[in-house]
Amino acid sequence: MLGVAQLQSATLQHLSESDLISKSTAIVRGTVQGSYAAYSGPLIFTHYRVQVMERWKGPAGATVDVAVPGGIVNGIRQTYSGAPQFQPGDQYVLFLWTGKSGMTQIMGFSQGAFAVAQDGSSDPSLTRAASHELMLDPVTHSQVNDQALTMRLSALRSRVASALGAVQ
Amino acid sequence: MRKRAIVRAVVAVAAALAMGAPVESYYHYTFYFTRSAPFTPVRARFNLAALTSNTLNVFVSDAGPVNYASNDTFGSVLGEVKQAVAAWNTVPDSALQLNFAGLESAGQPQQNTPGIDVVFTEMPPGLLGYGSPNIPVVPLFQKDSNGQLLVAIARSTVALTNDTTNGAGPSELPDFFTTAVHELGHALGLQHTWTGAAMSQGVIRNTTRVRPIDADDVAAFSLLYGAPNWTANYGSISGRVTFAAGQVGVNLASVVAIPAAGPAVSALTDPAGFYNISGLPPGTYMVFVHPLPPDGFTRNAEGLWGPFDANGFQFGPGASFQTTFYPGTTDTTAATTFNLTAGASINQVDFNVQQIEATVPMYDVITRGYLDPSIRDYTVNVNSESDWMSPAFINVNQVQSLVETIYSPLVVPQTVSILGFAPAPVCTADSPCFEVSTPLSALFAYFDAPANAGTGLRHLVFNLNNDMYVLPAGVNLVDKQPPYIDSVTGNPDGTVTLAGTGFGSDSTVYFDSLPALGAVGGTCPSGTSAGCSTITVAPPAGINRQIADITVFNGDGQNSLFLQSSNIPVYSYPAIGTPQLQTVSPMSLPPGGEAMVDIVGVNTSFVDGQVTVGFGTSDITVNRVWVLGPTHLQVNVMVASGAALGSSEISVISGFQVMTQPLAFQIVPAIPGAPVILAVVNGVAGQATIYPNAVATIWGANLANPQITINGEMAQVAYSSGDQVNVAVPADTPTGPIVLNLATSGGSVSLVVPISYAPPVILGIAEASGAAVNATSAATSGDQLTVAISGLDPTVTLASGRLQVEVAGVPMPVQLVSASQIQFTLNQSFNGTQVPVTIVVDGSSSAPFPILAQ
């Protein structure tokens, strides 16, 4: 069988931490439980079922369906790189955005997915690799580089709470 | 049973290819038959045999963006997509024709002909667009009509944001356009390159509206869709990359052929380390090899997809190694240069590379240049008022220029050079010009452009002690300031005048996404090669009170947004009625054959060259559109023989005007016995046009015993059978598009036929002395001859490239074309034989005039 790999075929806009927090409709820490793929118009999305462990922003709910472009349906594959790919059991902090269609997606592809190290720590580290898709500055529309981020879960939780508190 | 037959065919094909096929490994979606050498790539691409007239239709969903940025319109969005499609049509020697096919309904039922769908979809913040071919999970190897193997792409999808208030929008900004070009490249079967081009990933995409694709894109596209002889105009360089410790080939090494100036072209090695860079424009090249950056290939996230073997197992990249120029040097001045001519191949350009344990020290570098708004020119004194653009530009007329490079991870190079320039002194960490304020590195390098530096793309070379990094197309050299628009003024005649600086004869004015009419190449007054202060253009057809952003793009890549991105001048269109379609006739056609559709609009401004007509399904291909007036079109369409029956959307797009009739057109079952026209050609083989008094041959089905009218006049049928009719074109038929109607007892069908001037008549030929040249009076090689003619299409004198003079079928250089005479040089000896002279216009030849040629 072919492995499911991703193509680098996306164009992104750089999101700051402030953008991630303020423009997201939900921020959760959760564990991936499973997935399925389905068409939405001509596009294939893989829907991940995420068991919510913590919710820092957004409406309550024990699980959330997170749609990521790409996947395999009826023997046809669409792959869009930069889209994060999850495995069951993986734990993430996800910055999510739900549009008018009701579909929930990750902010800026991999920009909104922070992997939680499952090392047994009460305050595990979070990492987000730099995206190497073509990324544009939101103001100048020129190309910019992304950068990797690493921090403790408690630190991100605190920064999100602080930012949301400032907004409120 | 069927599956077994396919497997046998694949094995047979694999055996045949293993015996001698050239190894080429570009950045496509690639499969190999086996996991051992020799490796023959099979690439995913559209199968031209499945298309109508080798034409791939690109449709845009009629469910356009939900939210538009200020002043943005659906017409502007469509204009960007239309031009992105046109960009890939500029590839020379392509067998594939891309066609912007207008709109399709979101719920369009089945289409049996391959195509590309552009959709607008809800995207979260931070995401602008993405594209992908639909590839079967289990590859099915097929042969195309030329016997070449492929994995067929049945359909591809490009997704763009449905909210142009975010991200790359509004659509008139160049990001939207370059994103569309890039994602269409994926839809066509291209992955990424690390050589600056439209398909670049993580490195500079040094393309613009005026240069939307580059040599690397052309090479990659041509490998998928080049006409059978496309390689004749290009050279190739091939070799192998192995690790120095042995003969182990390096998989997925990027080998780059790079000229001192101009675009580079690259290819990736196959699993045995072999590479072949084809599609190289003739010129002088150095060759270097570099490893993919860490993000270039990752198994479960970003990076190249594949290559895979026939069983679906992926080939991983080789270990990382030091970048090196041939023949194994990091000193570019010691690199071998290869002079490459058209059709030539240089082989065995082999590399032995040194494996490194550490990660690639430098990659994904971008560059910036800075502008001082007060002088509207580049500056080395960066402050908070400075504007920046990426990639960097240098004005070679300035004493010193600044290029900022930004990259990660942090590494301090020993030197930074522009290939062919003296290295710039590098600021160090204790120097005020080196910033380490963030995890990203920013390095400011100051260059003195040498005399006669020229203009165009240049390449940055970073010396990293025992390693190096090369950034193709990292800098763009220019010899003037970027354009700046001071004012935009509408004129009483409907034209618009721009005043400003940095304009030149290479300036193109854009109204939102569309170029103004007459703006390309020379709206500056004559004698102002250094530039001019005003440009007057005709705006594209607009909609009621549309407010269009005005930008100027110069051929050197600079544009007015460099200095005016936050304050873009606008033009307000006048009030006009709502354009709409009044009649479309006929509104249904059966599968198979070509037919005419007549379209009349209201409040429309149809302009030749600006109109797109679509029928909402890739089973219908528009062959040609004729603009008969501001409200009247005639269109020839071809309905695929295997077309799916059903309804589809009619759309007409003219400038920014968009007119649709959803599900208004139907493909209906064929009526048994009804005539079908497949083609109308000149009955004389080799004559490419149809003209008065010619005999036209109509090919099709059910054609016997027809009555034919041409431009409403009954025409004489010289011969008819079921699949062929020969008909005389009346002598008084006017030139231009006319309607041919063919009626039989089974029905009738109409078609638009372009009527041309008859080829000119050669009255006589004379030497420069005036002496006649004919079948008995000889001309000598080197003679300049004058051909007296009559009946030449008067428009040919304005476009002399449409005319050739041939002697015994050999084209001769033409010096002069006028209504009554043509001058050419007999540049070849024919050893005193009698040879025919012919004048060929638009592919149709005059009667021969025999001469004696020494």
Side-chain angles (χ1 to χ4, degrees):
Chain A
M1 286 294 292
L2 292 174
V4 179
Q6 299 296 314
L7 305 182
Q8 62 288 65
S9 49
T11 306
L12 307 179
Q13 183 184 50
H14 183 255
L15 295 174
S16 65
E17 182 181 294
S18 172
D19 291 332
L20 286 171
I21 297 171
S22 64
K23 295 180 179 177
S24 60
T25 56
I27 305 171
V28 302
R29 174 190 176 197
T31 302
V32 178
Q33 293 191 316
S35 66
Y36 68 95
Y39 274 105
S40 175
L43 299 172
I44 295 176
F45 285 83
T46 296
H47 297 257
Y48 292 96
R49 185 166 181 265
V50 177
Q51 180 76 42
V52 176
M53 303 166 65
E54 291 184 66
R55 185 176 294 271
W56 299 345
K57 181 181 179 182
T63 62
V64 59
D65 181 294
V66 179
V68 176
I72 297 172
V73 177
N74 296 334
I76 294 295
R77 176 203 312 272
Q78 288 180 359
T79 46
Y80 304 103
S81 88
Q85 195 172 49
F86 304 139
Q87 301 298 324
D90 286 351
Q91 195 179 117
Y92 286 89
V93 171
L94 298 172
F95 292 78
L96 302 171
W97 180 83
T98 303
K100 292 177 180 174
S101 70
M103 182 182 285
T104 298
Q105 302 182 63
I106 297 170
M107 298 272 288
F109 269 11
S110 60
Q111 295 181 80
F114 289 69
V116 181
Q118 298 183 60
D119 54 6
S121 166
S122 60
D123 187 15
S125 66
L126 308 178
T127 56
R128 192 202 69 181
S131 173
H132 298 288
E133 299 307 301
L134 188 80
M135 185 173 284
L136 304 174
D137 181 88
V139 176
T140 66
H141 299 279
S142 290
Q143 187 179 348
V144 293
N145 279 355
D146 192 24
Q147 53 187 296
L149 292 175
T150 301
M151 67 184 74
R152 288 285 167 191
L153 175 65
S154 59
L156 184 58
R157 185 190 290 122
S158 171
R159 286 152 79 158
V160 169
S162 174
L164 294 176
V167 170
Q168 291 162 1
Chain B
M1 188 68 182
R2 177 180 171 82
K3 185 177 181 181
R4 184 173 296 175
I6 291 171
V7 170
R8 277 204 302 270
V10 167
V11 172
V13 168
L17 285 168
M19 289 189 288
V23 175
E24 292 168 322
S25 184
Y26 280 77
Y27 44 96
H28 301 102
Y29 304 109
T30 302
F31 300 88
Y32 296 109
F33 286 108
T34 64
R35 296 200 69 81
S36 58
F39 293 98
T40 301
V42 181
R43 303 180 183 87
R45 59 185 165 94
F46 286 97
N47 186 353
L48 272 57
L51 304 176
T52 299
S53 306
N54 288 352
T55 301
L56 181 64
N57 287 314
V58 180
F59 292 93
V60 179
S61 170
D62 63 358
V66 174
N67 293 322
Y68 289 95
S70 176
N71 298 339
D72 201 3
T73 64
F74 193 28
S76 179
V77 170
L78 294 174
E80 297 286 21
V81 178
K82 180 178 181 177
Q83 290 185 90
V85 172
W88 289 107
N89 259 344
T90 63
V91 176
D93 305 316
S94 170
L96 175 69
Q97 180 74 23
L98 283 155
N99 178 48
F100 175 66
L103 303 180
E104 67 179 339
S105 298
Q108 178 62 35
Q110 181 181 350
Q111 305 173 50
N112 292 337
T113 307
I116 295 177
D117 304 306
V118 179
V119 300
F120 302 94
T121 190
E122 199 173 66
M123 293 188 185
L127 185 56
L128 307 180
Y130 44 84
S132 170
N134 293 359
I135 297 178
V137 175
V138 178
L140 177 63
F141 299 119
Q142 305 175 12
K143 276 186 173 181
D144 65 15
S145 57
N146 295 319
Q148 300 298 308
L149 281 166
L150 59 86
V151 173
I153 301 172
R155 206 137 192 112
S156 289
T157 310
V158 172
L160 301 173
T161 178
N162 72 355
D163 184 351
T164 71
T165 63
N166 282 324
S171 63
E172 59 267 31
L173 294 182
D175 295 345
F176 198 102
F177 170 73
T178 55
T179 297
V181 172
H182 181 91
E183 305 304 345
L184 269 175
H186 289 309
L188 289 165
L190 306 185
Q191 292 202 63
H192 281 170
T193 176
W194 287 263
T195 303
M199 298 310 297
S200 292
Q201 179 232 19
V203 293
I204 287 178
R205 185 192 294 176
N206 197 347
T207 50
T208 75
R209 282 193 190 282
V210 293
R211 198 186 64 256
I213 60 173
D214 220 328
D216 197 68
D217 305 304
V218 170
F221 180 94
S222 298
L223 208 60
L224 296 182
Y225 303 113
N229 62 345
W230 76 272
T231 55
N233 295 324
Y234 299 94
S236 68
I237 296 175
S238 64
R240 191 180 186 206
V241 181
T242 55
F243 286 117
Q247 287 301 307
V248 178
V250 182
N251 186 29
L252 294 175
S254 177
V255 189
V256 186
I258 191 166
V265 181
S266 61
L268 299 180
T269 54
D270 72 9
F274 289 99
Y275 73 91
N276 183 13
I277 311 170
S278 53
L280 285 165
T284 301
Y285 294 90
M286 292 177 279
V287 184
F288 73 94
V289 60
H290 69 91
L292 293 185
D295 55 305
F297 189 98
T298 56
R299 292 185 183 278
N300 291 307
E302 300 170 359
L304 285 176
W305 181 84
F308 290 96
D309 65 19
N311 296 315
F313 293 103
Q314 203 166 15
F315 291 88
S320 192
F321 57 89
Q322 291 175 342
T323 296
T324 182
F325 272 77
Y326 185 85
T329 178
T330 55
D331 179 1
T332 57
T333 63
T336 301
T337 56
F338 299 95
N339 293 314
L340 200 58
T341 57
S345 296
I346 297 173
N347 305 316
Q348 295 183 311
V349 181
D350 299 337
F351 293 87
N352 290 119
V353 294
Q354 188 67 44
Q355 185 172 339
I356 58 174
E357 298 300 327
T359 185
V360 178
M362 194 173 193
Y363 57 93
D364 291 351
V365 175
I366 63 175
T367 64
R368 284 182 181 178
Y370 286 89
L371 283 159
D372 181 344
S374 67
I375 61 171
R376 300 180 182 179
D377 211 340
Y378 298 90
T379 182
V380 296
N381 300 312
V382 180
N383 57 43
S384 60
E385 302 299 316
S386 303
D387 289 308
W388 59 271
M389 84 298 301
S390 179
F393 280 71
I394 286 177
N395 187 338
V396 295
N397 293 322
Q398 293 184 315
V399 174
Q400 195 176 51
S401 303
L402 166 65
V403 175
E404 180 190 12
T405 60
I406 304 171
Y407 53 95
S408 180
L410 173 63
V411 63
V412 180
Q414 277 67 54
T415 62
V416 181
S417 306
I418 295 176
L419 196 58
F421 285 26
V426 177
C427 307
T428 58
D430 58 358
S431 166
C433 61
F434 189 74
E435 295 178 0
V436 197
S437 58
T438 73
L440 296 176
S441 316
L443 185 150
F444 290 73
Y446 298 85
F447 293 98
D448 297 324
N452 304 316
T455 59
L457 299 176
R458 296 295 189 274
H459 318 295
L460 285 177
V461 179
F462 299 80
N463 185 313
L464 308 174
N465 199 3
N466 290 324
D467 206 339
M468 65 190 310
Y469 176 75
V470 182
L471 178 60
V475 181
N476 210 332
L477 271 55
V478 295
D479 59 4
K480 62 176 183 285
Q481 300 164 245
Y484 189 98
I485 305 168
D486 285 307
S487 65
V488 176
T489 307
N491 302 314
D493 64 357
T495 62
V496 176
T497 297
L498 279 64
T501 56
F503 299 163
S505 58
D506 62 340
S507 296
T508 302
V509 178
Y510 282 82
F511 287 64
D512 284 344
S513 62
L514 294 177
L517 303 178
V520 179
T523 52
C524 285
S526 60
T528 56
S529 58
C532 58
S533 58
T534 62
I535 298 179
T536 298
V537 295
I543 59 176
N544 184 39
R545 300 188 184 284
Q546 177 183 351
I547 299 174
D549 285 354
I550 309 297
T551 52
V552 175
F553 282 71
N554 287 350
D556 59 12
Q558 299 182 99
N559 67 72
S560 58
L561 293 168
F562 282 7
L563 285 163
Q564 295 180 286
S565 62
S566 59
N567 186 25
I568 305 174
V570 299
Y571 169 73
S572 297
Y573 280 80
I576 62 168
T578 302
Q580 50 191 312
L581 301 180
Q582 186 176 59
T583 62
V584 177
S585 177
M587 297 189 73
S588 64
L589 286 170
E594 187 170 4
M596 178 197 78
V597 176
D598 191 274
I599 298 172
V600 176
V602 177
N603 295 327
T604 56
S605 302
F606 298 147
V607 177
D608 196 21
Q610 285 200 354
V611 178
T612 295
V613 179
F615 290 86
T617 167
S618 50
D619 288 336
I620 301 177
T621 296
V622 173
N623 282 345
R624 189 166 169 183
V625 177
W626 286 273
V627 175
L628 305 183
T631 61
H632 192 192
L633 303 173
Q634 284 180 335
V635 185
N636 274 3
V637 302
M638 180 74 81
V639 185
S641 58
L645 304 181
S647 300
S648 59
E649 179 168 12
I650 301 169
S651 63
V652 178
I653 302 165
S654 179
F656 299 106
Q657 300 178 348
V658 182
M659 296 138 275
T660 66
Q661 289 189 354
L663 302 178
F665 199 82
Q666 283 192 306
I667 300 176
V668 296
I671 300 172
V676 173
I677 294 178
L678 294 175
V680 181
V681 298
N682 193 309
V684 177
Q687 296 293 82
T689 58
I690 299 172
Y691 38 83
N693 284 325
V695 172
T697 294
I698 303 169
W699 296 102
N702 306 319
L703 301 179
N705 303 315
Q707 283 196 328
I708 295 177
T709 61
I710 295 178
N711 198 36
E713 181 178 351
M714 190 65 73
Q716 183 180 356
V717 175
Y719 168 82
S720 78
S721 66
D723 61 359
Q724 179 183 355
V725 174
N726 292 346
V727 60
V729 179
D732 59 352
T733 304
T735 59
I738 57 90
V739 177
L740 180 152
N741 178 269
L742 182 150
T744 68
S745 58
S748 69
V749 61
S750 293
L751 202 65
V752 179
V753 177
I755 300 297
S756 303
Y757 275 79
V761 175
I762 299 177
L763 304 173
I765 300 178
E767 295 178 348
S769 65
V773 174
N774 52 40
T776 56
S777 299
T780 303
S781 177
D783 283 354
Q784 187 175 69
L785 304 179
T786 299
V787 184
I789 56 169
S790 67
L792 180 66
D793 178 348
T795 63
V796 172
T797 59
L798 303 174
S800 57
R802 293 166 55 192
L803 180 148
Q804 293 86 41
V805 176
E806 294 183 354
V807 178
V810 179
M812 297 290 146
V814 175
Q815 285 82 45
L816 172 71
V817 176
S818 72
S820 60
Q821 62 181 34
I822 299 166
Q823 286 181 352
F824 75 98
T825 301
L826 185 67
N827 68 352
Q828 181 175 326
S829 170
F830 291 90
N831 301 316
T833 59
Q834 195 178 92
V835 291
V837 176
T838 53
I839 309 297
V840 181
V841 177
D842 296 336
S844 287
S845 173
S846 69
F849 187 95
I851 65 169
L852 197 60
Q854 299 290 350

